[in-house]
Amino acid sequence: MKLENLTWPEVEEYLKSNQQIILPVGTCEQHGLHLPLNTDTLIANRVADYLSEETGILVGPSLNYGVNLPCDRKYAGTCSTSKELLRSFLASVLEWWKGQGFRRFFLLSAHGDPH
């Protein structure tokens, strides 16, 4: 069940019985010549959807940017952000949802830490 496909009253109703949400975090980076730039995002989304199907936990809209290695700059289309900005952005999103009643957050990434 995806948050972005629900109305706000439907989310409000969900929160009466379940205060959990999964947030898929991907990247926009090269994966060789044969895979799309959103490979990590696709994997995180699929795993999140599976977990949602099995548990009934809501899935939030995925974040399509992460932290990549500096050497990835040379690959067209790859885009990164800093660890600090990613942490700050995620904290902001989770704080917003916390204020609405969400209490347990599952951040799901299919991307390894570059450092």
Side-chain angles (χ1 to χ4, degrees), residues 22-115:
I22 301 167
L23 179 57
V25 181
T27 60
C28 182
E29 73 168 359
Q30 60 79 29
H31 286 87
L33 300 174
H34 63 299
L35 293 173
L37 294 167
N38 70 338
T39 294
D40 292 331
T41 306
L42 292 171
I43 294 168
N45 282 332
R46 180 59 197 114
V47 172
D49 290 345
Y50 171 78
L51 291 171
S52 179
E53 291 165 11
E54 293 294 313
T55 65
I57 298 173
L58 196 59
V59 177
S62 60
L63 176 61
N64 297 317
Y65 296 94
V67 179
N68 303 327
L69 293 169
C71 63
D72 286 340
R73 283 184 184 269
K74 68 180 183 177
Y75 297 102
T78 295
C79 187
S80 183
T81 189
S82 68
K83 285 183 179 183
E84 296 77 24
L85 185 59
L86 181 60
R87 271 191 218 108
S88 178
F89 179 81
L90 290 170
S92 177
V93 169
L94 300 184
E95 190 62 33
W96 189 272
W97 282 337
K98 186 177 176 185
Q100 296 171 357
F102 288 97
R103 294 294 177 253
R104 184 169 286 166
F105 306 96
F106 300 96
L107 295 135
L108 180 64
S109 177
H111 180 66
D113 184 1
H115 300 286

Side-chain angles (χ1 to χ4, degrees), residues 1-11 14 58:
M1 178 170 45
K2 292 189 178 277
L3 176 83
E4 63 220 45
N5 294 333
L6 301 177
T7 63
W8 73 263
E10 290 171 327
V11 176
Y14 169 85
L58 196 59

